[in-house]
């Protein structure tokens, strides 16, 4: 339950997972059925705040960055790990298009602007 919850991008604190398991696994067999899991995750999805999700995504992009901004190197790393096949020119263009303050990096505010434009 904990691994699946985290894999879906949700916080999975031990106390929360134990509470869910106690609620949906009364015989305490350390199992939860598909329908119950679906209900729990669906509820979490409905309660998601898009801004929080975008901030979480930004942190994934900047996890290996000292500046807390998305650089070409960050994009190259993500590109390699996801095997997206983007060229360096395409990634440079992405940064240039959304770099409002022209510092060659994407900060959190610029990232949120990008995401909010694509969301709505």
């Amino acid at each position: 339950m904990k691994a699946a919850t985290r894999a879906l991008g949700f916080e999975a604190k031990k106390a929360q997972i134990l509470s869910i398991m106690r609620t949906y696994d009364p015989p305490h067999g350390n199992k939860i059925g598909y329908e119950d899991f679906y209900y729990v995750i669906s509820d979490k999805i409905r309660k998601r705040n898009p801004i929080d999700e975008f901030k979480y995504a930004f942190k994934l992009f900047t996890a290996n960055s000292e500046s807390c901004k998305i650089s070409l190197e960050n994009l190259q790393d993500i590109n390699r790990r996801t095997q997206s096949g983007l060229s360096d020119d395409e990634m440079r263009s992405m940064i240039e298009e959304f770099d409002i303050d022209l510092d060659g990096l994407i900060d959190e505010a610029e990232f949120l602007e990008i995401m909010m434009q694509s969301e709505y």
Side-chain angles (χ1 to χ4, degrees), residues 30-41:
N30 290 323
K31 296 179 181 178
I32 184 170
Y34 173 78
E35 292 81 15
D36 292 332
F37 179 77
Y38 182 84
Y39 175 78
V40 169
I41 295 302

Side-chain angles (χ1 to χ4, degrees), residues 44-60:
K44 288 181 175 289
I45 289 170
R46 279 191 298 278
K47 292 178 181 175
R48 275 184 169 172
N49 178 345
I51 303 260
D52 291 339
E53 296 300 313
F54 298 149
K55 287 181 178 183
Y56 176 77
F58 179 78
K59 287 179 184 176
L60 293 176

Side-chain angles (χ1 to χ4, degrees), residues 101-117:
D101 62 9
L102 303 176
D103 66 352
L105 304 166
I106 303 295
D107 63 27
E108 187 177 67
E110 291 165 334
F111 185 82
L112 290 175
E113 181 68 25
I114 296 163
M115 299 309 292
M116 296 302 284
Q117 286 176 7

Side-chain angles (χ1 to χ4, degrees), residues 67-96:
S67 69
C68 293
K69 294 182 178 185
I70 299 172
S71 66
L72 177 61
E73 291 77 23
N74 295 121
L75 291 180
Q76 290 168 330
D77 182 50
I78 297 285
N79 187 44
R80 269 190 303 278
R81 287 191 281 144
T82 61
Q83 299 177 342
S84 298
L86 295 171
S87 71
D88 284 351
D89 286 339
E90 289 172 313
M91 290 181 278
R92 274 189 206 93
S93 293
M94 291 166 65
I95 289 175
E96 289 172 8

Side-chain angles (χ1 to χ4, degrees), residues 9-28:
F10 295 105
E11 187 177 80
K13 292 185 179 178
K14 186 176 182 177
Q16 293 171 328
I17 299 300
L18 290 174
S19 175
I20 291 167
M21 293 304 290
R22 278 192 296 275
T23 302
Y24 294 99
D25 180 33
H28 305 295

